Amino acid sequence: MTDTNSIGLHEASASQLAEQLNSLLSNYQLFYMNVRGYHWNVKGANFFELHVKFEEFYTDLLTKVDEVAERILTLGHQPVHAYSDYFRLASIEEDKNVTDGETCVRGVLKGFQTLIELQRELLSVASDADDEGTAAQMSDYIREQEKTIWMLNAYLG
């Protein structure tokens, strides 16, 4: 009997990656809900541009939620799917009752910074495990989100 899974990764590595991906998934879910709340509740002079931008962000976040969950399944493990698990595993916290545009943008910036930190850790673990699939996924997310952070910082001045 071999200690590799169906895609040829060592099961111990796949298990560790799945655990970290479940943490990432939880952070994506909470961040998604925060950004959805910003979209619904933002007020002020920049309402129109921020309302549209937050919708763009949360739509992309929802896509990534699905992609991360599917990566966990590909590794042979189960993605968490209960909010109690999300709260337990995530480092991103709920951001309630935020209506000020600048505060919302700062919340988005902080969320992306947290995701990048987690994804860099996953990229390192995936590389050590010869898991090109997870490494490529994390690399793509990092590259995209670094540009977003640059743009959010430029917006904030």
Side-chain angles (χ1 to χ4, degrees):
M1 183 178 236
T2 180
D3 69 338
T4 58
N5 65 11
S6 65
I7 60 172
L9 296 176
H10 290 283
E11 185 48 49
S13 296
S15 182
Q16 179 185 8
L17 284 160
E19 184 177 319
Q20 287 184 262
L21 283 164
N22 267 315
S23 174
L24 182 64
L25 176 65
S26 299
N27 280 281
Y28 265 105
Q29 286 283 39
L30 285 171
F31 187 38
Y32 165 81
M33 288 307 300
N34 285 346
V35 177
R36 192 82 194 225
Y38 302 151
H39 168 78
W40 289 331
N41 296 305
V42 68
K43 292 179 174 37
N46 297 324
F47 167 80
F48 289 105
E49 68 183 294
L50 291 176
H51 183 75
V52 170
K53 183 51 80 174
F54 295 149
E55 182 174 8
E56 178 185 314
F57 287 150
Y58 77 67
T59 299
D60 181 65
L61 291 168
L62 192 56
T63 298
K64 285 180 172 59
V65 162
D66 192 55
E67 291 171 350
V68 171
E70 289 176 350
R71 186 65 197 167
I72 295 166
L73 291 163
T74 300
L75 292 170
H77 292 268
Q78 184 174 358
V80 294
H81 58 277
Y83 278 98
S84 57
D85 290 326
Y86 300 151
F87 288 120
R88 180 177 52 83
L89 295 172
S91 54
I92 292 176
E93 297 179 6
E94 287 180 301
D95 203 1
K96 298 179 190 178
N97 304 317
V98 179
T99 61
D100 173 68
E102 184 175 328
T103 304
C104 292
V105 171
R106 290 188 187 286
V108 171
L109 181 61
K110 184 177 176 186
F112 278 124
Q113 289 168 330
T114 299
L115 292 178
I116 285 176
E117 182 180 327
L118 294 169
Q119 290 162 169
R120 283 191 178 125
E121 291 171 17
L122 263 159
L123 177 61
S124 177
V125 173
S127 295
D128 290 345
D130 293 325
D131 178 3
E132 179 61 28
T134 301
Q137 185 176 11
M138 294 305 106
S139 181
D140 289 346
Y141 290 1
I142 291 166
R143 178 188 38 79
E144 177 186 313
Q145 291 164 359
E146 285 175 340
K147 184 175 180 180
T148 300
I149 286 174
W150 160 64
M151 291 179 168
L152 290 168
N153 280 318
Y155 180 87
L156 292 170

